Amino acid sequence: MNLSMKWLNDYVKIDVPPHEFAHRMTMSGSKVEGYEIEGEEISNVVVGKILSVEKHPDADKLVVCMLDVGKDAPIQIVTGADNVFPGAVVPVALDGSVLPDGVKIKKGKLRGVESNGMLCSLNELNLTVHDFPYAIEDGIFIMEEDCEIGQDIRSAIGLNDTSVEFEITSNRPDCLSVTGLAREAAATFGKPFILPKPEVKGSAGKIEDYLTVQVENPALCRRYMAKVVKNVKIAPSPRWMRERLRASGVRPINNLVDITNYVMLEYGQPMHAFDLKYVEGHQIVVRNAKAGETIETLDGTVHNLSEEMLVICDGKKPAAVAGVMGGEYSGIMEDTETVVFESASFKGASVRTTAKKLGLRTESSSRFEKGLSAKLCEDALLRACELVEQLGAGEVVGGTIDVDNSAETPVRVKLEPEWINRFLGIELSREEMVGILEPLGFVMDGDDVVSPSFRIDIEHKADIAEEIARFYGYDRIPVTAIRGTAQGRLTPEQVFERKMSRSMLAMGCNEIQTYSFISPKYYDKIALPADSTLRKSIEITNPLGEDTSVMRTTLLPSMMEVLARNYNNRLPQAYLFENGIEFIPTEPDRLPEENKVLCAGLYGPKTDFYTIKGIVETLFGELSLSEPDFLPCKDDPSFHPGRCAKIFAGGEEIGVLGEIHPKVLDSYGMGVKCFAAELSVAGMYRALTPERRYQPLPKFPAATRDISVVCDESTPMMEVEKAIKKAVGKSLESIALFDVYRGEQIEEGKKSLSFAISMRSYERTLTDEEADNSIRRVLKALGEMGIALRG
């Protein structure tokens, strides 16, 4: 937002240097990005009057002018301009003057004739015909201003304003206006803020005879007001208006268009003016666009409209995109006779969505999308009509059309001085706080602070505290130590995950982190069948490429990519793990389930199936999980069918481990065996057992027994081991498989398993009879399973 200091002084008198104004406004919360003094680079350029014009003796296209520049004697200047004449008042750049862009003017001779300066055009003063419509674009600037000969050109043509650039945050749309910033400046400098109520005299006639308005979507158009101006006279705006628009970064066009821009900058309320003769049926309908409708906007671009967009229509077609831009025939033409001024309040989210879809970012949309009060519509509309009458631009027809569906109620927040002082660390009385709030437009109603309608950012007492803090002065708030104690702590799940990662690191594994987005081709590389549910992935709407187009349903391909990269870089060994997320689709248009999974992958010398199995078993022990069960798995296409096992804990399947299938290794170009495991983090957390307690070293000796049993080849060793553990009972200290035998002495289809069993009591020495009884219970339990003692 660019603020004209001349314009600002209409509402609050500020007489400080620009740098001080910028500093104090920034400190009170209205951040200044910088300021620019118009014409600051121009020096020694004055108003001159041409006394005579003579032909150059040696050049057909040059003339010699004598000028009065307010000095004792006239000066002579040679020029090639053909629009100069005696009596013309022109800008004169004297000897030693400086023009915009650093151009310096020195006296000299042109074709042998002395020239003591230069006559200036608009362009040489960095101006255009929009700033002075009576001037010509190519030629010397013949001035019609009321000025004195010899006067500095900057003051003579009003090129001496100061424009201050503010950075306005999205929660303060009220400051996207001169009046809003003037209110902030008045509070900052302790000056009175003056905002006169617009007065419109009006003329004969009723607006109902000219126009009807219908709002079909009151949710998106909360208020729509209109007034009609007849007998319009299109002309350039007065100089004071053109100067202010120029200082605000807006190009002057004509009086009616300039009025709408002027009011938007002054009040922050965008407006639009329709030529009534292009409004079919003299009817305005505010509705949603229909499927297939298009509109050609004022910039000459044709846009396709969609049904969620709000448009301003006449009896037949869209005439404007609500809150964004008018249509081709909604503008003001040279032959315009009757004008409709529109002042409306549109829902900010709707305007933003529409502007983004159409690729139209305008001054109007940038204000509406931040949220504007519907109460602002009336003041802006009356101000526009007041300017019409002041400029003699037309006659305002009596009456106003006002379709008001806003039902705005002021926000009330209880003023709690003690809480605010404690919150900010200051000491102010209630009266001092009220003295800060009232200049900003807040009204006290008992203990309640009633927020003005234009302050959409006020919701609770912290917002009131912020207002007090910024005008009390952030630099005045004393530095205090933080009071209280930190309450932040890790959840039990986070503690578990950190312990899990530390345990993997302690076992020599390196942690990796891979992207959640993968290529669908990854599923082919791990040999997933075409009908696998894991192939049903969430697709990215706007992916960077095919390699990151879906969200993974398994971590295995990501792990294999990293293992393959390490192998191809000639790393002889890699032990890796990742605590990542799998994204499992649920119902259509619903967010996927996010399952945390621990994935381990390894290869290297002396690495086999039992290495990865040992890592899993050690992890379970370190995390105090219930003892895992491993059951053979032959149907996982990514793993070797004879060296793969599903992992169970607490009766729940929580993962899989094994050797990677040779075909999968080929797809990754790996020439060594790889092993991997995937474990559900949530499943492991559910398998947590009571915390382990310290067990003192045993005082009594252990009783050991070795047994060898014969069972079917298909019987898992884990089932045999579980049966032995259950049969021995509490006295069991450890059990270990020390031999598996298949040979001549064992029947075909059978195998021999040999276990070392250690039993101990922490209260006394076990007797041989007690140990033998335990073994008899073991043999009985195994016999019931069809497992016999080896002879």
Side-chain angles (χ1 to χ4, degrees), residues 44-61:
N44 206 24
V45 180
V46 300
V47 176
K49 183 176 181 179
I50 300 177
L51 302 176
S52 65
V53 180
E54 303 290 341
K55 287 187 176 182
H56 192 288
D58 295 323
D60 295 336
K61 294 185 178 181

Side-chain angles (χ1 to χ4, degrees), residues 156-334:
I157 63 176
L159 193 63
N160 56 354
D161 200 352
T162 298
S163 178
V164 182
E165 181 184 357
F166 285 86
E167 178 188 340
I168 307 300
T169 55
S170 59
N171 66 328
R172 291 298 304 275
D174 58 298
C175 288
L176 286 171
S177 65
V178 177
T179 55
L181 289 172
R183 187 179 291 105
E184 292 288 310
T188 300
F189 289 90
K191 302 284 186 179
F193 172 65
I194 303 169
L195 180 60
K197 185 74 175 176
E199 295 182 2
V200 180
K201 298 177 182 178
S203 63
K206 295 181 179 180
I207 190 172
E208 290 80 7
D209 297 333
Y210 292 82
L211 184 72
T212 61
V213 174
Q214 179 183 354
V215 177
E216 294 184 0
N217 192 335
L220 300 186
C221 179
R222 299 180 299 164
R223 191 175 191 183
Y224 193 97
M225 298 186 69
K227 287 188 78 68
V228 171
V229 177
K230 63 180 181 179
N231 299 327
V232 168
K233 301 177 182 65
I234 304 297
S237 300
R239 179 178 135 180
W240 61 266
M241 181 176 282
R242 299 197 307 269
E243 286 179 5
R244 293 180 178 186
L245 291 175
R246 181 182 67 227
S248 301
V250 177
R251 186 185 70 180
I253 298 176
N254 59 51
N255 50 4
L256 287 186
V257 174
D258 291 350
I259 284 172
T260 60
N261 289 331
Y262 190 90
V263 172
M264 179 184 69
L265 293 171
E266 189 174 40
Y267 282 77
Q269 170 67 38
M271 295 186 63
H272 194 70
F274 295 94
D275 189 333
L276 188 61
K277 68 172 173 287
Y278 293 111
V279 180
E280 293 282 349
H282 290 190
Q283 177 186 15
I284 287 179
V285 180
V286 185
R287 61 170 173 80
N288 287 77
K290 298 177 182 178
E293 278 189 318
T294 62
I295 186 172
E296 183 174 352
T297 47
L298 288 170
D299 59 0
T301 305
V302 177
H303 297 277
N304 296 316
L305 303 174
S306 53
E307 296 180 7
E308 75 278 4
M309 297 179 181
L310 193 70
V311 290
I312 312 299
C313 303
D314 56 23
K316 292 184 178 179
K317 63 186 182 306
V321 181
V324 182
M325 185 180 286
E328 180 186 16
Y329 296 105
S330 69
I332 304 301
M333 313 294 181
E334 291 294 333

Side-chain angles (χ1 to χ4, degrees), residues 553-566:
T553 57
T554 171
L555 267 65
L556 186 59
S558 301
M559 176 59 70
M560 290 304 301
E561 287 288 331
V562 179
L563 289 174
R565 190 179 306 120
N566 279 272

